[in-house]
Amino acid sequence: ALIVFNAHHTKTSSTKFEGAVMATSLPEGTTLVDVLPSSKPAYVVGPGGVVDISLAPVTGALLFPGDQVGAED
């Protein structure tokens, strides 16, 4: 699992800083599903394992590879 938090009270934050996006060890093309909201948004890992996610103030994401998230979850 990959966990991302935005602890800022008023600003949206992302996994990007000064043009650099957060790198992971995940393979490019992996679909990550946020299992916290009922809408279950998905994100795709980019080249070099980068994951670009923006979060609203005081929220988080709990991301699992899509193949590990069943339809009933």
Side-chain angles (χ1 to χ4, degrees), residues 3 7 10 25-26 28-29 33 36 38 40 45 55 61 68 72:
I3 302 170
T10 60
S25 60
L26 297 165
E28 178 180 352
V33 178
L36 294 179
S38 60
K40 303 224 183 321
V45 177
L55 293 174
Q68 295 180 14
E72 71 281 351

Side-chain angles (χ1 to χ4, degrees), residues 11-70:
K11 294 184 180 179
T12 297
S13 292
S14 73
T15 55
K16 207 184 292 188
F17 181 72
E18 295 183 354
V21 182
M22 179 178 70
T24 71
S25 60
L26 297 165
E28 178 180 352
T30 300
T31 298
L32 297 173
V33 178
D34 184 356
V35 299
L36 294 179
S38 60
S39 62
K40 303 224 183 321
Y43 306 89
V44 178
V45 177
V50 298
V51 178
D52 188 2
I53 299 171
S54 292
L55 293 174
V58 194
T59 59
L62 179 57
L63 304 164
F64 284 92
D67 62 355
Q68 295 180 14
V69 179

